[in-house]
Amino acid sequence: MNNLAQVHQLNPYAIQLCATGRWIAQRHWVPATGGNFSIRSSAQSCLVTASGKDKGELSPADLLQVDFDEISFSCQGKPSAETALHCALYRHYPDAKAVLHTHSVQATVFSRLISQPQYCFDGYEMQKAIQGIQSHQQALLLPVLDNTQDMAALAAKVTQLAGTQTLPYAFLVRGHGLYVWGDSLEQCKRHLEAWEFLIACELERIKICGLV
Amino acid sequence: MNNLAQVHQLNPYAIQLCATGRWIAQRHWVPATGGNFSIRSSAQSCLVTASGKDKGELSPADLLQVDFDEISFSCQGKPSAETALHCALYRHYPDAKAVLHTHSVQATVFSRLISQPQYCFDGYEMQKAIQGIQSHQQALLLPVLDNTQDMAALAAKVTQLAGTQTLPYAFLVRGHGLYVWGDSLEQCKRHLEAWEFLIACELERIKICGLV
Amino acid sequence: MNNLAQVHQLNPYAIQLCATGRWIAQRHWVPATGGNFSIRSSAQSCLVTASGKDKGELSPADLLQVDFDEISFSCQGKPSAETALHCALYRHYPDAKAVLHTHSVQATVFSRLISQPQYCFDGYEMQKAIQGIQSHQQALLLPVLDNTQDMAALAAKVTQLAGTQTLPYAFLVRGHGLYVWGDSLEQCKRHLEAWEFLIACELERIKICGLV
Amino acid sequence: MNNLAQVHQLNPYAIQLCATGRWIAQRHWVPATGGNFSIRSSAQSCLVTASGKDKGELSPADLLQVDFDEISFSCQGKPSAETALHCALYRHYPDAKAVLHTHSVQATVFSRLISQPQYCFDGYEMQKAIQGIQSHQQALLLPVLDNTQDMAALAAKVTQLAGTQTLPYAFLVRGHGLYVWGDSLEQCKRHLEAWEFLIACELERIKICGLV
């Protein structure tokens, strides 16, 4: 109860994140308790979904407060196994307010088709749904990272990548799923829909035209 | 409030358009705030969805009054970026009462497969859902226009096309999506369902038989 | 009102048919006001959906009483354009109580892939959902008829076919859709689900293995 | 009534199983009254869905008490035709609390593509949703058994298989569907989602890359 009250006090978007989770679950993008979500609660803290919860049945009490500094994070309770990755994104992007990680069939299959470290999306009007993009002719490079159970290593890899190139508010982990973030939960959800759409389109195109 | 009252006064179909938007969003045809809708409110005006709104969560206050003459249009507020295209259709087709523009995966993928300026649909009973078609043997030519961020140019292209051939109440914009219109909102929705169906069928057929 | 009262008096399943229509519409199997349904109301009459109605929004008043004899049928109002086909089935199969006709993407695409007059389904446990089938090894031959706008001719073709072979409570019309029937509305709905499933499976299989 | 009261007395999860059935039906994984579910009610008994019921409309009264020993089972009423298979799983796995059997398009199509007796899933993060799996690099071997109408023979085959190798809480029956189990109904549902996801992914991959 104290925990729940604390959550509400810290972040009025906690309930909104749970609603977003139900919406995502209805799209079948977080099956089998997969995926994880977070919202920033301060410069050095965020609320992360607890491990093993059905993401379509979240309540604010399922969001755990995680405090982080430049090196590590701490949490009372058992947050998502991929909390290190969420913290890495909040550290690197001070404006990031929300992170959504999903396991859709389309993103999972697509990520395994791409053997190169990134994939170029070009010519889709939908690219404009990504913050800062003004035209379907501004190509987007989506990173595709190898999966690993070593989350610290994956977080370091993402941090390094983000330091050397402009990421399109998203990356894929091969055979695993999609990470997106945004400067608000609303923008983050828009980025999620846009990337899942773009990936679904390319997967359909590849079925017909093959991989280039 | 004044604006909302005005909308209701002008057009009793405003609420119906919002309901149609929810139905379309449930089909996943307007992801990431994509797409835009309008209804005619007079010979030289229409109500157009405001820019950036989630099309599954529209209320009448999200519909902006747009006045147009033969050359230009004006609007208080920020209507959809593609308002010029809606006005072009209402100008050219005096009987058009509604325009729906969607971003489905199937229409987007299909539009990029077709390198020619139009595609012929033939042999589908569903063709009869398009106003004026009596038989599956009346072939329909669906235009596929190149996408551009210059909406005035795209609107001029559509106007020119509509002046030289009978359009099947629809056209595609490559990599972008589908436009449909109708002599009533009900007919327009029927045209939308019919075209999304026909495009979905051809995309499936092409997966098996290849592009002819 | 009189009409509605009459419908209820004649057939307690009228409301159930409307509910079945909503269920079918939610599966997207009757887009754009397509498809039509009926239930038998006596040895020589049935209730058929009125022409042009959205099949997901039916009320009993949208079901029109159709009387038929061995040769023709009559109806007050405008029943579905394919009423002749429904009557032909009720005439030939005295036990048939319901007929459902749908326009799914999968059945439409499949019907155009098959150039032969029938297609053999074998090896699916789901075949047992068809009345009288006890094993996945009892092959089912699904007729695929050419589409025509001459409904009397199509009805005659179906009658002739039904007189010369055992039909699996279903047939396809090429580029048009699926017809199923059953000895009760419940069985008819089961046949619909089973055939749409079997067709969906074969379509997926053909995408990978090609047409044999 | 007595029966219903007895069911509730025996197993508080009866209502939860009916809710799970509605959820599964909404995924279209038990069409045409297909599939069957059970929960263990004691060391030598379980509740199994009655034959021929729509699995999306179950109530606790549709769950029949089945008593089994090492050799046979008995039941008042007509339980699912595949009850022998459920009993075999409960016999072999003392910790198994629930069994779910589904007929999805994807699992059915996939099962017929695989001519070998098992299929290897590797490299998917989703593998970790299966109890005991810690890494995407722990490969899972999913058995694919030939279908038969002789349920005693199929049950014996499964028992034999389970005695000689570690099964991944699931197996496929060719042209028929998927069986999953779990140490709780919640875990069983998670296994179901995970396996349907993994199978859907591989089916998509095979469409693009072909069978290896």
PDB file of all heavy atoms in Angstrom, chain D residues 48 64-67 73-79 83:
ATOM      1  N   VAL D  48     -12.004 -32.425 -17.114  1.00  0.00           N
ATOM      2  CA  VAL D  48     -11.754 -32.314 -18.561  1.00  0.00           C
ATOM      3  C   VAL D  48     -12.985 -31.693 -19.220  1.00  0.00           C
ATOM      4  O   VAL D  48     -14.116 -31.962 -18.820  1.00  0.00           O
ATOM      5  CB  VAL D  48     -11.470 -33.702 -19.176  1.00  0.00           C
ATOM      6  CG1 VAL D  48     -11.240 -33.590 -20.680  1.00  0.00           C
ATOM      7  CG2 VAL D  48     -10.274 -34.364 -18.510  1.00  0.00           C
ATOM      8  N   LEU D  64     -15.887 -32.058 -16.768  1.00  0.00           N
ATOM      9  CA  LEU D  64     -16.289 -33.354 -16.237  1.00  0.00           C
ATOM     10  C   LEU D  64     -15.151 -33.970 -15.419  1.00  0.00           C
ATOM     11  O   LEU D  64     -13.991 -33.948 -15.828  1.00  0.00           O
ATOM     12  CB  LEU D  64     -16.669 -34.296 -17.383  1.00  0.00           C
ATOM     13  CG  LEU D  64     -17.768 -33.772 -18.318  1.00  0.00           C
ATOM     14  CD1 LEU D  64     -18.044 -34.795 -19.424  1.00  0.00           C
ATOM     15  CD2 LEU D  64     -19.046 -33.465 -17.542  1.00  0.00           C
ATOM     16  N   GLN D  65     -15.551 -34.543 -14.278  1.00  0.00           N
ATOM     17  CA  GLN D  65     -14.575 -35.211 -13.407  1.00  0.00           C
ATOM     18  C   GLN D  65     -14.165 -36.536 -14.044  1.00  0.00           C
ATOM     19  O   GLN D  65     -15.016 -37.368 -14.378  1.00  0.00           O
ATOM     20  CB  GLN D  65     -15.216 -35.455 -12.031  1.00  0.00           C
ATOM     21  CG  GLN D  65     -14.486 -36.426 -11.128  1.00  0.00           C
ATOM     22  CD  GLN D  65     -13.472 -35.713 -10.231  1.00  0.00           C
ATOM     23  OE1 GLN D  65     -13.480 -34.493 -10.147  1.00  0.00           O
ATOM     24  NE2 GLN D  65     -12.617 -36.467  -9.588  1.00  0.00           N
ATOM     25  N   VAL D  66     -12.868 -36.715 -14.232  1.00  0.00           N
ATOM     26  CA  VAL D  66     -12.330 -37.957 -14.787  1.00  0.00           C
ATOM     27  C   VAL D  66     -11.383 -38.579 -13.748  1.00  0.00           C
ATOM     28  O   VAL D  66     -10.476 -37.900 -13.260  1.00  0.00           O
ATOM     29  CB  VAL D  66     -11.560 -37.684 -16.097  1.00  0.00           C
ATOM     30  CG1 VAL D  66     -10.792 -38.917 -16.555  1.00  0.00           C
ATOM     31  CG2 VAL D  66     -12.517 -37.204 -17.186  1.00  0.00           C
ATOM     32  N   ASP D  67     -11.647 -39.838 -13.394  1.00  0.00           N
ATOM     33  CA  ASP D  67     -10.756 -40.559 -12.467  1.00  0.00           C
ATOM     34  C   ASP D  67      -9.895 -41.517 -13.270  1.00  0.00           C
ATOM     35  O   ASP D  67     -10.388 -42.165 -14.198  1.00  0.00           O
ATOM     36  CB  ASP D  67     -11.598 -41.332 -11.433  1.00  0.00           C
ATOM     37  CG  ASP D  67     -12.419 -40.390 -10.561  1.00  0.00           C
ATOM     38  OD1 ASP D  67     -11.812 -39.602  -9.818  1.00  0.00           O
ATOM     39  OD2 ASP D  67     -13.665 -40.433 -10.673  1.00  0.00           O
ATOM     40  N   PHE D  73      -9.235 -44.856 -17.423  1.00  0.00           N
ATOM     41  CA  PHE D  73      -9.920 -43.742 -16.784  1.00  0.00           C
ATOM     42  C   PHE D  73     -11.422 -43.963 -16.887  1.00  0.00           C
ATOM     43  O   PHE D  73     -11.895 -44.738 -17.727  1.00  0.00           O
ATOM     44  CB  PHE D  73      -9.519 -42.408 -17.416  1.00  0.00           C
ATOM     45  CG  PHE D  73      -9.995 -42.229 -18.831  1.00  0.00           C
ATOM     46  CD1 PHE D  73     -11.264 -41.694 -19.097  1.00  0.00           C
ATOM     47  CD2 PHE D  73      -9.191 -42.568 -19.908  1.00  0.00           C
ATOM     48  CE1 PHE D  73     -11.702 -41.533 -20.402  1.00  0.00           C
ATOM     49  CE2 PHE D  73      -9.624 -42.401 -21.212  1.00  0.00           C
ATOM     50  CZ  PHE D  73     -10.882 -41.887 -21.455  1.00  0.00           C
ATOM     51  N   SER D  74     -12.164 -43.295 -16.017  1.00  0.00           N
ATOM     52  CA  SER D  74     -13.627 -43.394 -16.061  1.00  0.00           C
ATOM     53  C   SER D  74     -14.225 -42.017 -15.835  1.00  0.00           C
ATOM     54  O   SER D  74     -13.611 -41.144 -15.210  1.00  0.00           O
ATOM     55  CB  SER D  74     -14.130 -44.352 -14.977  1.00  0.00           C
ATOM     56  OG  SER D  74     -13.800 -43.817 -13.705  1.00  0.00           O
ATOM     57  N   CYS D  75     -15.413 -41.822 -16.378  1.00  0.00           N
ATOM     58  CA  CYS D  75     -16.065 -40.511 -16.293  1.00  0.00           C
ATOM     59  C   CYS D  75     -17.552 -40.672 -16.471  1.00  0.00           C
ATOM     60  O   CYS D  75     -17.998 -41.466 -17.302  1.00  0.00           O
ATOM     61  CB  CYS D  75     -15.505 -39.601 -17.405  1.00  0.00           C
ATOM     62  SG  CYS D  75     -16.257 -37.964 -17.459  1.00  0.00           S
ATOM     63  N   GLN D  76     -18.326 -39.947 -15.660  1.00  0.00           N
ATOM     64  CA  GLN D  76     -19.770 -39.874 -15.911  1.00  0.00           C
ATOM     65  C   GLN D  76     -19.989 -38.757 -16.917  1.00  0.00           C
ATOM     66  O   GLN D  76     -19.548 -37.628 -16.698  1.00  0.00           O
ATOM     67  CB  GLN D  76     -20.524 -39.566 -14.619  1.00  0.00           C
ATOM     68  CG  GLN D  76     -20.461 -40.716 -13.619  1.00  0.00           C
ATOM     69  CD  GLN D  76     -21.399 -40.488 -12.454  1.00  0.00           C
ATOM     70  OE1 GLN D  76     -21.442 -39.407 -11.890  1.00  0.00           O
ATOM     71  NE2 GLN D  76     -22.168 -41.503 -12.094  1.00  0.00           N
ATOM     72  N   GLY D  77     -20.654 -39.040 -18.005  1.00  0.00           N
ATOM     73  CA  GLY D  77     -20.812 -38.057 -19.071  1.00  0.00           C
ATOM     74  C   GLY D  77     -19.823 -38.336 -20.176  1.00  0.00           C
ATOM     75  O   GLY D  77     -19.093 -39.337 -20.132  1.00  0.00           O
ATOM     76  N   LYS D  78     -19.774 -37.470 -21.179  1.00  0.00           N
ATOM     77  CA  LYS D  78     -18.921 -37.686 -22.355  1.00  0.00           C
ATOM     78  C   LYS D  78     -17.814 -36.634 -22.389  1.00  0.00           C
ATOM     79  O   LYS D  78     -18.011 -35.524 -22.889  1.00  0.00           O
ATOM     80  CB  LYS D  78     -19.774 -37.598 -23.628  1.00  0.00           C
ATOM     81  CG  LYS D  78     -19.032 -38.096 -24.861  1.00  0.00           C
ATOM     82  CD  LYS D  78     -19.831 -37.858 -26.134  1.00  0.00           C
ATOM     83  CE  LYS D  78     -18.980 -38.232 -27.355  1.00  0.00           C
ATOM     84  NZ  LYS D  78     -19.495 -37.624 -28.590  1.00  0.00           N
ATOM     85  N   PRO D  79     -16.655 -36.979 -21.874  1.00  0.00           N
ATOM     86  CA  PRO D  79     -15.563 -36.006 -21.884  1.00  0.00           C
ATOM     87  C   PRO D  79     -14.941 -35.938 -23.282  1.00  0.00           C
ATOM     88  O   PRO D  79     -15.272 -36.753 -24.153  1.00  0.00           O
ATOM     89  CB  PRO D  79     -14.572 -36.578 -20.876  1.00  0.00           C
ATOM     90  CG  PRO D  79     -14.737 -38.056 -21.001  1.00  0.00           C
ATOM     91  CD  PRO D  79     -16.205 -38.279 -21.310  1.00  0.00           C
ATOM     92  N   THR D  83      -9.319 -37.461 -23.904  1.00  0.00           N
ATOM     93  CA  THR D  83      -9.104 -37.539 -22.463  1.00  0.00           C
ATOM     94  C   THR D  83      -7.944 -38.462 -22.103  1.00  0.00           C
ATOM     95  O   THR D  83      -7.172 -38.176 -21.158  1.00  0.00           O
ATOM     96  CB  THR D  83     -10.413 -38.002 -21.783  1.00  0.00           C
ATOM     97  OG1 THR D  83     -11.419 -37.024 -22.054  1.00  0.00           O
ATOM     98  CG2 THR D  83     -10.240 -38.145 -20.284  1.00  0.00           C
TER      99      THR D  83
END
